[in-house]
Amino acid sequence: MPNIALVPVEGDLDVTTAPRVRATVDSLIASGCRRVILNMAGVQYVDSAGMALLFREIRSMRQAGGLLSLINVSDRVLRTLRIARVVDFAPISGTNARPEVPELDPTVMPTWRTALRVNATDLQETRGKVEALLRRMPFSDDQVFDITLAIGEAMGNAIDHTDGRDALVTVSAYPDRAVIDVTDRGCGISVRRGQLPAQEHPNEERGRGIRLMRLLADSVTIRKRSGGCGTLVRIVKLV
């Protein structure tokens, strides 16, 4: 079962659709999923039943130690969520709300930088160390939660596509951002912005982890390592 799920809410969130969304989210929470993102791109109206659903699922996910958020919220729905104060309890972003990530000035040195070897037999241990590093920066708990998940996806890919023995994660702290590099020594791939890896076999699913990383971080770049074999995944989270 997934650790992260993107759930499209199709149609308005009202008394007729709320039970179906509730059943989906409840099933994900019960299965152990700890990060649910509701894609509200198709929602133009939320009634009191929809509000009750959101409050209930936000609370249930918090109690389970996870996080539920809403993305692609229209201006009309966002105004309703503000009036109901849903925005006080969960991360909510409107349409086209993703910030532009300015290029990093190459003359600016990081405040600090730490490199860790990825434990190929215990990713939880490495995730815990990365989370502790991120908590040294002025991120909210929810931001740390998301960026740790994104890094976990990158580390999982590094282990999945190589033997994992030479995978590294490097956390660099700058005044306005955290830059996290996950490197491996596999065959190496490059994925352009907005694209996904090509499928090698029919019915093969590729790129789920990349899609999730892009949802959780402000910028994700994937390219072959210069001067050697392997892939470099760079994840940026703005402060």
Side-chain angles (χ1 to χ4, degrees):
M1 298 301 293
N3 293 318
I4 313 168
L6 174 64
V7 179
V9 182
E10 299 173 352
D12 293 338
L13 189 56
D14 55 27
V15 67
T16 64
T17 59
R20 184 171 68 250
V21 178
R22 173 179 174 175
T24 299
V25 177
D26 283 351
S27 175
L28 288 166
I29 296 174
S31 72
C33 182
R34 291 298 175 259
R35 185 64 172 93
V36 172
I37 303 164
L38 299 183
N39 185 355
M40 304 282 283
V43 179
Q44 294 299 317
Y45 177 79
V46 179
D47 69 2
S48 60
M51 291 294 180
L53 163 74
L54 292 176
F55 278 118
R56 179 186 183 278
E57 300 304 337
I58 290 168
R59 182 171 60 250
S60 295
M61 185 59 91
R62 293 282 189 184
Q63 291 173 345
L67 179 64
L68 181 143
S69 67
L70 286 67
I71 63 171
N72 295 325
V73 181
S74 70
D75 291 342
R76 175 188 291 182
V77 173
L78 186 57
R79 184 173 185 274
T80 304
L81 298 180
R82 284 176 175 149
I83 293 172
R85 300 194 66 177
V86 178
V87 295
D88 294 342
F89 301 98
I92 297 175
S93 61
T95 54
N96 302 317
R98 184 174 292 276
E100 287 293 326
V101 178
E103 290 292 331
L104 187 63
D105 185 343
T107 65
V108 175
M109 298 299 294
T111 307
W112 52 264
R113 174 177 289 156
T114 301
L116 303 169
R117 187 172 297 278
V118 177
N119 187 336
T121 61
D122 190 353
L123 282 178
Q124 181 177 357
E125 178 196 30
T126 310
R127 283 195 300 268
K129 292 178 179 179
V130 170
E131 180 178 349
L133 290 172
L134 293 171
R135 291 194 180 280
R136 295 169 55 185
M137 298 188 66
F139 289 126
S140 68
D141 287 344
D142 290 346
Q143 289 173 318
V144 170
F145 190 92
D146 274 1
I147 196 64
T148 302
L149 285 177
I151 297 166
E153 287 294 321
M155 293 192 302
N157 283 342
I159 299 301
D160 191 33
H161 300 300
T162 70
D163 60 15
R165 289 181 299 177
D166 297 314
L168 296 174
V169 55
T170 303
V171 181
S172 302
Y174 293 88
D176 69 333
R177 71 189 71 190
V179 177
I180 301 94
D181 290 340
V182 179
T183 59
D184 62 50
R185 296 187 64 82
C187 60
I189 63 168
S190 294
V191 181
R192 287 188 292 180
R193 182 177 180 180
Q195 293 188 335
L196 294 172
Q199 294 184 180
E200 298 178 359
H201 305 286
N203 302 320
E204 178 187 32
E205 182 177 4
R206 298 290 301 274
R208 178 186 300 191
I210 295 174
R211 288 194 294 267
L212 294 174
M213 286 187 283
R214 288 171 175 166
L215 279 171
L216 300 172
D218 291 317
S219 173
V220 177
T221 57
I222 302 168
R223 59 178 174 81
K224 292 183 178 180
R225 295 174 62 186
S226 59
C229 62
T231 302
L232 183 150
V233 178
R234 174 161 291 175
I235 298 170
V236 177
K237 189 71 171 178
L238 297 176
V239 173

